C-alpha cells in the first residue's frame, strides 16, 4: 500500500504486487493523448489488504469499495491541497482584508458557506476526473464542436492569466515588503517569473515531492496568519456571532459579492479534475473508482478547512484593527502591511514581516498552481503534446509579459493597482460560467459518467449553487459597467455583448442536457396524433 519510489515501502508480497503493477504501467493501454499524467508518473495504491485473500474478486463482483484505511488516505492525500491554494491566492487575501476592514466580522458566515459551496464544485471536478480518467478540458474537447472548444479554451486562458497577474503582483508586493522597499514591484515580478523553473525541477522528482512543497507553503501561510491572529487578540464573541448569524446590508454588499466571487476560480476546476488522475485507478473497475472517490472526498474536505481558517484569520485581524476607522476604505495589499505595523507592530512583534512572509507564500504557491493548470488546459483543449519545460514557459509567458508591463506602470502610479484589480476581477467573473456549466452538465450525463453520474437531487442542488455565483457576479458586472460605460455607442456595444454572452451560456446548458428532448418530444407526439 505504497506509492512509487516510496523508501518506506518495505518488502513482501505487497511490494511484489506493486512491482508488477509498475512494470505493467509501461504497457498500459491508455491513449497518451488522453491523460493528464503518463502511466509511469501515477502513484500506485494497492487494493487487497491480504494478498492471499480473494478480496479483490469480492469487490469486483459487488462493486463496493474496500474497507477504510488510514494509510490509503495518506496515499490519496495531495491533489486536494494543491487545489486549495486557489482559496488562498493574493486576490482572496485582499478580499478578506477589505471585508474585515469594511464589514467587521459580520460576513464570516458568508465566508463559511462560500467555502462549502466551493467544496461542492471541487468534489464534482474530482468525481469527473476519477470516473472518466479525463480532465474537464479533455472532455470539453470530446463533447463540444470545434468552435465551442476553442471558445472555451480562450475563456479558460483569459481566466488563468487574469488570476495569475493578481498572484504575481501579490508576490511582487511581498518581495517589496520583505526587502524594505529595496526591490520595486517590477523586480519582484521578474523574480516571481522564475518560480516555474523551481516547479519544473521538483516535478521531475515525482508528484509527491511537488505535493510536499505545497504542504510546506500552506504551513508557512497558516503559521504567519495564525500568529497575527493570536497576537492581535480578536473578540471571540464577535467571531462566533459572525459565523452563526447571517447579516447583510447595502453598505457591505460589494464585499459580500467579492467573497463569493473569489470562491470559484475557473482554472482551478480544470486543475482539480486533472490532479486526481495522479493516482492509478482503473475506471473499468467500479470498486476502485468508488474507493478513490471516498478518499478524495475526505481529503478535499480536510484540505479546504485550512484555507477557511486562514481566510478567517485575515478577516478577523483586519476587522479588529480597522473596522469603523478612516483607513478602512483605503486598505489594499500594497499598504496593508504598513497599516498593520502602525496598528499592532512593536519591538517584539514584527507584523509587517509576518504579513510579507504569508503573502509571499500565498503568491508563490498560487503562481505555480496557475502554471500547472495552464498545462492541463492547453493539453486538454488543444491536444498539444509538448515537453513540460516548453508548456511551462508558454503558460508562464502568457501572464508574466503583461504583468511586467502593468508593474512598470504601477511603479509610477500606485492607484493603477486598484484599477487593475477591478478589471481582473471582472474578467474572472465573466469566465466563471464557462467552467461551471460544462462541469455540471458533463457530470450529470450517463454517457460520460456511467453509474457515477450525479442524481436528480444532487443536480438540483449543484445548479442552485452554481446559479448563485453566476447571478451575483452578473450583478457585479452590471454595477461595474454601469459606472464605467458612458455614451450610446459603448452602451449599444455592451448590449450586443450581453446578448451574445447569454446566448452562448444557454447553448452550453442545452448542448449537453436532455432538456431539448423533454421540451420538443411532447410537441412532436402531439403533431403526430393529427396525422
Amino acid at each position: 500500500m505504497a506509492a512509487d519510489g516510496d523508501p518506506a515501502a518495505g518488502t513482501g508480497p505487497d511490494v511484489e504486487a506493486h512491482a508488477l503493477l509498475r512494470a505493467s504501467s509501461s504497457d498500459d493501454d491508455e491513449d497518451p493523448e488522453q491523460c493528464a499524467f503518463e502511466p509511469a508518473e501515477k502513484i500506485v495504491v494497492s487494493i487487497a489488504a491480504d494478498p492471499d485473500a480473494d478480496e479483490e474478486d469480492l469487490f469486483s463482483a459487488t462493486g463496493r469499495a474496500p474497507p477504510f484505511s488510514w494509510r490509503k488516505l495518506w496515499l490519496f492525500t495531495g491533489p486536494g491541497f494543491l487545489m486549495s491554494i486557489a482559496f488562498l491566492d493574493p486576490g482572496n487575501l485582499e478580499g478578506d482584508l477589505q471585508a474585515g476592514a469594511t464589514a467587521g466580522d459580520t460576513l464570516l458566515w458568508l465566508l463559511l458557506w462560500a467555502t462549502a459551496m466551493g467544496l461542492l464544485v471541487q468534489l464534482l471536478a474530482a468525481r469527473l476526473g476519477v470516473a472518466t480518467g479525463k480532465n474537464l478540458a479533455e472532455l470539453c474537447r470530446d463533447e463540444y464542436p470545434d468552435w465551442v472548444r476553442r471558445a472555451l479554451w480562450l475563456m479558460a486562458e483569459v481566466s488563468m492569466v487574469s488570476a495569475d497577474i493578481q498572484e504575481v503582483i501579490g508576490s511582487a508586493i511581498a518581495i517589496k515588503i520583505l526587502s524594505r522597499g529595496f526591490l520595486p514591484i517590477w523586480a519582484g515580478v521578474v523574480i516571481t517569473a522564475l518560480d516555474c523553473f523551481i516547479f519544473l525541477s521538483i516535478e521531475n522528482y515525482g508528484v509527491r515531492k511537488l505535493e510536499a512543497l505545497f504542504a510546506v507553503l500552506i504551513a508557512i501561510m497558516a503559521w504567519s496568519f495564525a500568529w497575527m491572529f493570536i497576537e492581535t487578540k480578536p473578540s471571540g464573541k464577535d467571531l462566533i456571532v459572525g459565523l452563526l448569524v447571517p447579516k447583510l446590508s447595502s453598505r457591505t454588499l460589494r464585499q459580500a459579492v467579492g467573497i463569493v466571487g473569489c470562491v470559484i476560480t475557473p482554472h482551478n476546476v480544470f486543475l482539480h479534475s486533472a490532479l486526481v488522475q495522479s493516482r492509478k485507478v482503473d475506471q473499468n473497475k467500479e470498486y476502485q473508482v468508488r474507493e478513490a472517490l471516498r478518499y478524495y472526498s475526505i481529503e478535499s474536505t480536510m484540505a479546504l478547512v485550512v484555507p477557511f481558517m486562514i481566510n478567517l484569520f485575515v478577516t478577523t485581524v483586519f476587522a479588529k484593527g480597522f473596522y469603523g476607522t478612516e483607513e478602512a476604505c483605503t486598505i489594499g495589499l500594497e499598504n496593508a502591511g504598513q497599516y498593520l505595523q502602525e496598528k499592532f507592530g512593536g519591538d517584539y512583534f514584527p507584523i509587517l514581516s509576518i504579513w510579507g512572509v504569508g503573502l509571499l507564500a500565498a503568491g508563490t504557491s498560487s503562481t505555480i498552481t496557475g502554471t500547472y493548470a495552464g498545462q492541463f488546459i492547453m493539453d486538454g483543449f488543444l491536444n498539444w503534446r509538448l515537453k513540460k519545460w516548453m508548456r511551462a514557459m508558454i503558460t508562464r509567458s502568457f501572464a508574466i509579459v503583461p504583468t511586467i508591463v502593468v508593474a512598470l506602470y504601477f511603479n509610477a502610479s500606485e492607484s493603477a493597482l486598484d484599477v487593475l484589480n477591478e478589471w481582473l476581477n471582472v474578467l474572472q467573473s465573466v469566465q466563471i460560467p464557462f467552467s461551471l456549466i460544462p462541469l455540471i452538465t458533463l457530470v450529470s450525463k450517463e454517457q460520460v459518467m456511467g453509474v457515477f453520474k450525479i442524481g436528480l437531487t444532487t443536480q438540483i442542488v449543484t445548479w442552485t449553487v452554481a446559479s448563485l455565483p453566476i447571478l451575483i457576479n452578473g450583478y457585479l458586472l452590471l454595477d461595474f459597467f454601469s459606472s464605467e460605460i458612458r455614451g450610446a455607442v459603448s452602451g449599444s456595444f455592451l448590449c450586443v455583448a450581453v446578448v451574445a454572452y447569454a446566448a452562448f451560456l444557454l447553448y452550453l446548458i442545452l448542448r449537453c442536457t436532455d432538456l431539448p428532448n423533454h421540451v420538443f418530444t411532447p410537441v412532436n407526439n402531439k403533431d403526430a396524433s393529427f396525422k
Side-chain angles (χ1 to χ4, degrees):
M1 206 182 298
D4 295 49
D6 189 350
T11 58
D14 197 40
V15 174
E16 293 176 4
H18 285 176
L20 290 174
L21 280 171
R22 285 194 290 269
S24 65
S25 68
S26 61
D27 300 324
D28 203 301
D29 293 332
E30 294 181 62
D31 182 357
E33 296 185 349
Q34 296 289 336
C35 59
F37 294 87
E38 299 298 332
E41 296 177 319
K42 295 187 178 184
I43 297 172
V44 178
V45 181
S46 63
I47 299 301
D50 180 1
D52 298 326
D54 295 328
E55 291 184 6
E56 187 166 353
D57 293 336
L58 175 62
F59 298 141
S60 297
T62 60
R64 63 183 179 87
F68 178 82
S69 165
W70 287 104
R71 194 176 182 187
K72 284 188 180 181
L73 177 60
W74 167 248
L75 293 178
F76 276 102
T77 297
F81 284 90
L82 268 70
M83 168 272 295
S84 71
I85 294 296
F87 291 73
L88 292 170
D89 65 18
N92 284 71
L93 297 182
E94 184 167 29
D96 294 335
L97 66 88
Q98 290 176 346
T102 306
D105 294 320
T106 60
L107 294 180
L108 290 178
W109 66 274
L110 187 60
L111 175 64
L112 174 63
W113 284 102
T115 304
M117 185 170 61
L119 173 61
L120 175 60
V121 172
Q122 297 302 147
L123 289 178
L124 290 181
R127 187 182 190 90
L128 185 73
V130 172
T132 64
K134 297 181 179 181
N135 61 55
L136 179 58
E138 291 169 335
L139 289 168
C140 287
R141 187 185 71 211
D142 295 339
E143 291 291 324
Y144 292 105
D146 186 67
W147 70 272
V148 177
R149 170 177 62 86
R150 293 185 182 278
L152 291 175
W153 168 72
L154 179 61
M155 298 296 181
E157 290 288 355
V158 169
S159 170
M160 184 194 68
V161 170
S162 59
D164 208 9
I165 291 175
Q166 288 181 310
E167 294 155 2
V168 172
I169 291 291
S171 297
I173 290 174
I175 292 173
K176 181 180 178 181
I177 291 173
L178 295 175
S179 67
R180 295 296 189 268
F182 178 76
L183 293 174
I185 296 294
W186 68 264
V189 170
V190 174
I191 294 172
T192 306
L194 301 177
D195 63 15
C196 65
F197 297 105
I198 300 175
F199 154 71
L200 284 173
S201 61
I202 295 177
E203 189 186 21
N204 289 333
Y205 292 98
V207 68
R208 291 292 273 182
K209 304 298 189 299
L210 185 65
E211 292 167 353
L213 168 66
F214 283 99
V216 172
L217 292 173
I218 292 174
I220 292 173
M221 281 185 274
W223 170 82
S224 300
F225 297 123
W227 189 2
M228 289 171 49
F229 177 81
I230 293 171
E231 288 292 334
T232 55
K233 299 180 177 62
S235 170
K237 178 181 177 182
D238 291 343
L239 190 153
I240 294 174
V241 171
L243 283 172
L244 300 180
V245 180
K247 292 182 181 179
L248 190 62
S249 66
S250 57
R251 187 172 54 87
T252 61
L253 185 59
R254 193 172 186 84
Q255 285 71 34
V257 169
I259 289 177
V260 177
C262 289
V263 167
I264 299 174
T265 308
H267 71 266
N268 201 44
V269 178
F270 291 97
L271 175 66
H272 199 200
S273 65
L275 289 174
V276 293
Q277 296 173 48
S278 60
R279 273 57 175 175
K280 188 174 178 63
V281 176
D282 187 348
Q283 279 72 34
N284 295 319
K285 295 181 178 179
E286 183 179 338
Y287 71 94
Q288 287 195 23
V289 176
R290 292 194 183 280
E291 180 180 52
L293 290 176
R294 171 207 286 170
Y295 289 119
Y296 279 136
S297 297
I298 298 172
E299 185 243 4
S300 297
T301 303
M302 293 190 304
L304 285 190
V305 170
V306 179
F308 169 72
M309 294 303 300
I310 292 176
N311 288 323
L312 182 144
F313 291 157
V314 174
T315 303
T316 52
V317 166
F318 281 87
K320 171 68 182 297
F322 305 102
Y323 179 54
T325 65
E326 294 180 358
E327 300 91 348
C329 296
T330 62
I331 296 179
L333 280 182
E334 205 275 337
N335 59 15
Q338 192 60 45
Y339 276 127
L340 286 171
Q341 185 66 33
E342 294 172 359
K343 187 76 176 181
F344 301 109
D347 295 336
Y348 303 103
F349 185 37
I351 193 168
L352 178 61
S353 298
I354 295 170
W355 170 256
V357 169
L359 182 59
L360 181 61
T364 301
S365 56
S366 56
T367 53
I368 297 177
T369 54
T371 303
Y372 213 20
Q375 297 184 37
F376 294 127
I377 289 171
M378 186 174 68
D379 282 354
F381 278 113
L382 304 181
N383 199 23
W384 286 3
R385 310 307 297 179
L386 302 176
K387 293 182 179 180
K388 289 182 179 179
W389 69 267
M390 188 177 297
R391 288 182 298 175
M393 290 299 294
I394 292 174
T395 54
R396 206 82 205 93
S397 299
F398 283 165
I400 291 300
V401 172
T403 304
I404 291 178
V405 175
V406 168
L408 289 172
Y409 174 69
F410 170 67
N411 199 48
S413 173
E414 294 189 359
S415 62
L417 182 59
D418 294 332
V419 177
L420 170 68
N421 278 330
E422 281 194 34
W423 279 101
L424 292 178
N425 287 333
V426 167
L427 279 176
Q428 293 182 69
S429 299
V430 169
Q431 313 308 322
I432 286 178
F434 300 114
S435 60
L436 280 186
I437 293 175
L439 172 66
I440 299 175
T441 53
L442 289 172
V443 84
S444 304
K445 282 188 72 172
E446 187 173 0
Q447 299 93 321
V448 175
M449 299 292 294
V451 297
F452 295 102
K453 62 167 286 191
I454 59 175
L456 180 60
T457 301
T458 307
Q459 290 182 42
I460 294 173
V461 172
T462 52
W463 276 114
T464 302
V465 167
S467 65
L468 289 176
I470 292 175
L471 292 174
I472 289 174
N473 281 285
Y475 166 81
L476 177 64
L477 293 175
L478 289 176
D479 179 65
F480 177 80
F481 283 120
S482 63
S483 61
E484 295 290 331
I485 303 275
R486 293 289 186 272
V489 176
S490 56
S492 301
F493 177 79
L494 177 61
C495 290
V496 172
V498 168
V499 171
Y501 181 80
F504 189 42
L505 292 185
L506 183 61
Y507 170 83
L508 290 177
I509 294 173
L510 299 180
R511 176 66 172 75
C512 288
T513 63
D514 295 327
L515 183 59
N517 293 335
H518 293 312
V519 173
F520 294 112
T521 299
V523 177
N524 293 336
N525 292 339
K526 184 176 180 179
D527 291 342
S529 65
F530 287 101
K531 293 182 179 178

